[in-house]
Each structure stands twice: as C-alpha cells, then as structure tokens.
Amino acid sequence: TSLKKRIVVNCYATTKLDNLKKLIEKATELRNKGLTTGEIADELNISKDTTQWLIMQMTTVNKTKQK
C-alpha cells in the first residue's frame, strides 16, 4: 500500500506540473500576441498576480534556454 500511495502522489504531482507548464505556455502565447497582463488574466480566468507570476516564469525559462 505504501508503494501505491507514492505512485498516486507522484501521478498527482506530475499532472499538476503538466498543467502548470501548459498554463505558462498559454500565457506566453497570449503575451506574444500582444495581450496585456489583465487581458491574459481574463482569458485564462486567473488573477493578475498569478498572470504576472506566470510571465516571470516564462522569462526565467527563456533566460535559462539562452545560456
């Protein structure tokens, strides 16, 4: 049962991480189309603070890829 619990937790964490990556990709796509932070927040039905955080994440990812 311990192994089953770890597998379930790992699957849940992986799903959450995949969802986050998709959200970052969508926010990036919308930003590249010229949408403002507020417009992206409305489009994704998330707060402006979350949108700003996503944008910071995509900036960090882009800087890491350039190195």
Side-chain angles (χ1 to χ4, degrees):
T1 54
S2 178
L3 179 59
K4 283 184 181 179
K5 287 180 183 177
R6 281 187 282 169
I7 290 171
V8 169
V9 168
N10 286 339
C11 288
Y12 179 76
T14 300
T15 300
K16 288 290 189 181
L17 185 58
D18 288 343
N19 289 341
L20 179 59
K21 287 178 182 178
K22 288 177 185 174
L23 198 56
I24 291 170
E25 289 171 4
K26 185 64 178 176
T28 301
E29 176 186 320
L30 294 172
R31 176 60 100 188
N32 289 338
K33 288 183 177 181
L35 274 67
T36 65
T37 302
E39 291 168 333
I40 295 170
D42 290 344
E43 181 74 23
L44 299 178
N45 198 28
I46 57 177
S47 71
K48 287 182 183 178
D49 287 339
T50 300
T51 303
Q52 290 172 335
W53 183 84
L54 290 171
I55 291 168
M56 286 190 320
Q57 299 312 301
M58 68 184 192
T59 302
T60 301
V61 168
N62 287 340
K63 284 181 181 177
T64 303
K65 285 181 180 179
Q66 291 175 356
K67 288 183 178 181

